[in-house]
Amino acid sequence: MQKISVLGCGRWGSFIAWYLATKKGKQVWSWGPAGDYSYEVLKDTGKNEYVTLDPSITLTCDLAAAVARAEIVIISISSQGLRGFIQKIKAAADVSGKVFVLCMKGIEAETGERLSEILIEAGIPQESIAVWVGPGHIQDFTAGIPNCMVIDSHNVALKKALADDFKSDLIRFYYGNDIIGTEIGAAAKNVMGIAAGVLDGGGVSTLKGPLMSRGAREVARLIEALGGNGLSAYGLAHLGDYETTLFSRHSHNRMYGEMLVKGQRFEKLAEGVMTAAAMRGLGRRLGVELPITEAVYDVCFAEEPKEGSCWHDLCMERISRLFSRDTKFEF
């Protein structure tokens, strides 16, 4: 039986460990750093707000042991911390021959690089890397509500083997066709989630229909400029994840946008904030028009509203600016 270690025991990391142990009977270790809130809660109570750890799961804060024993290393942490984390992994244990699966969504803000590119730069062989993304909220999965997800890789044999091995009556997997589009699409949907939250908080939720249509088209342009297949924007990793991200009460990114309009602070991780910065940089460097991304960046990184104004006014002004753009053919 394959030995799997899941590095990161926050929301998605704890779910992945739970899923692979309970639904697939895998020998799973769940790692988190000592002192980290997510790890300490699981250590002290055996559960968090999302899952109860199965007794078969080994919870540890020993990174070297978790990496050394694993044949498959699944990473689920904040995307902006991946570059430093992969160096810690390599320093902790020999990683040769191991498969790395990224179950996280983001683009490095400083460089504009996809997450798989960061691993490749760190010396992890391209053929040993896969990404696991797509729609689904943990609250729904643990309630027994199924969904579809995608596993992608440069290595066709690897993505097929992982998808076939990990599938269950809870998650139907598809083989990804385009790792560039899969990674960019998965990250970009969080930016669109923030935009959806702004629309909800601003009382114009009906605009989420146009957001879905134009947002997917915008992301397709970026994917194509990066050398990927624009059709990937209409697959599970991006458009297929819109219901989960643009409409669900569980979506961190949507809630971030809604609370922003109301002048409230969202305390949990919203990956779309830094992804908006990364996409904006990519778009400007490649000469790709990304008007929705630019609007999200503006509201996320805006200075405090001036006296006599408020976050609602600032966000609504930015949406109005989108409507003042020149009329053009839809496609």
Side-chain angles (χ1 to χ4, degrees):
M1 183 184 295
Q2 288 175 325
K3 297 176 181 178
I4 299 174
S5 287
V6 181
L7 308 183
C9 56
R11 184 169 61 144
W12 269 103
S14 60
F15 165 72
I16 296 161
W18 173 88
Y19 171 77
L20 292 175
T22 61
K23 299 297 291 185
K24 301 303 300 180
K26 302 292 186 182
Q27 295 179 10
V28 179
W29 280 32
S30 175
W31 173 88
D36 177 75
Y37 175 77
S38 297
Y39 171 76
E40 296 296 335
V41 166
L42 287 173
K43 185 183 73 170
D44 293 341
T45 68
K47 61 182 181 180
N48 57 25
E49 61 181 304
Y50 305 106
V51 299
T52 298
L53 286 188
D54 189 80
S56 68
I57 297 171
T58 299
L59 182 67
T60 182
C61 61
D62 187 336
L63 182 61
V67 175
R69 53 85 59 182
E71 297 165 88
I72 298 175
V73 178
I74 299 176
I75 304 177
S76 183
I77 64 168
S78 170
S79 61
Q80 301 306 315
L82 180 61
R83 186 175 295 276
F85 188 54
I86 191 60
Q87 296 303 329
K88 290 182 180 179
I89 291 172
K90 291 183 65 182
D94 180 12
V95 298
S96 57
K98 298 182 186 299
V99 168
F100 283 82
V101 181
L102 296 169
C103 194
M104 44 199 292
K105 302 168 183 177
I107 305 167
E108 190 174 53
E110 187 174 343
T111 64
E113 290 188 349
R114 304 189 325 274
L115 303 183
S116 67
E117 291 180 302
I118 294 172
L119 291 197
I120 293 169
E121 283 187 7
I124 306 300
Q126 176 177 283
E127 62 271 16
S128 299
I129 301 169
V131 297
W132 171 356
V133 294
H137 278 301
I138 297 157
Q139 295 91 333
D140 293 333
F141 281 134
T142 54
I145 301 170
N147 215 321
C148 301
M149 302 187 82
V150 60
I151 292 180
D152 212 338
S153 173
H154 289 286
N155 183 340
V156 176
L158 176 61
K159 63 186 165 190
K160 285 187 173 181
L162 290 170
D164 291 345
D165 188 29
F166 289 174
K167 68 182 180 182
S168 71
D169 58 357
L170 194 60
I171 301 178
R172 177 185 177 176
F173 283 101
Y174 284 81
Y175 312 132
N177 291 93
D178 168 34
I179 192 167
I180 294 174
T182 296
E183 287 192 273
I184 294 296
K189 66 94 187 178
N190 286 329
V191 177
M192 300 305 156
I194 292 175
V198 169
L199 297 178
D200 285 337
V204 286
S205 297
T206 51
L207 288 177
K208 288 199 286 189
L211 172 64
M212 293 172 68
S213 175
R214 301 313 304 165
R217 187 72 197 98
E218 178 169 313
V219 173
R221 290 197 298 269
L222 180 59
I223 290 171
E224 289 166 354
L226 288 166
N229 184 342
L231 286 175
S232 297
Y234 306 98
L236 281 170
H238 187 72
L239 183 61
D241 209 351
Y242 269 17
E243 190 282 330
T244 308
T245 307
L246 273 61
F247 294 91
S248 173
R249 69 187 186 281
H250 300 311
S251 170
H252 282 190
N253 292 281
R254 194 207 61 78
M255 184 57 70
Y256 178 94
E258 180 175 340
M259 292 180 69
L260 182 67
V261 178
K262 297 175 180 178
Q264 301 170 355
R265 184 178 296 276
F266 183 68
E267 299 294 344
K268 296 182 179 180
L269 176 66
E271 288 277 16
V273 175
M274 296 310 295
T275 302
M279 287 177 60
R280 177 178 181 264
L282 282 173
R284 293 188 170 195
R285 190 169 81 218
L286 298 168
V288 180
E289 264 197 310
L290 304 175
I292 299 171
T293 299
E294 290 273 358
V296 171
Y297 175 87
D298 285 352
V299 298
C300 287
F301 292 92
E303 295 180 1
E304 290 284 337
K306 296 177 181 178
E307 189 175 349
S309 186
C310 63
W311 281 107
H312 179 276
D313 295 340
L314 186 152
C315 293
M316 292 300 101
E317 186 277 331
R318 195 61 190 87
I319 290 174
S320 297
R321 235 188 288 171
L322 288 173
F323 276 79
S324 67
R325 286 164 51 80
D326 292 340
T327 306
K328 59 183 67 177
F329 287 101
E330 185 177 12
F331 297 105

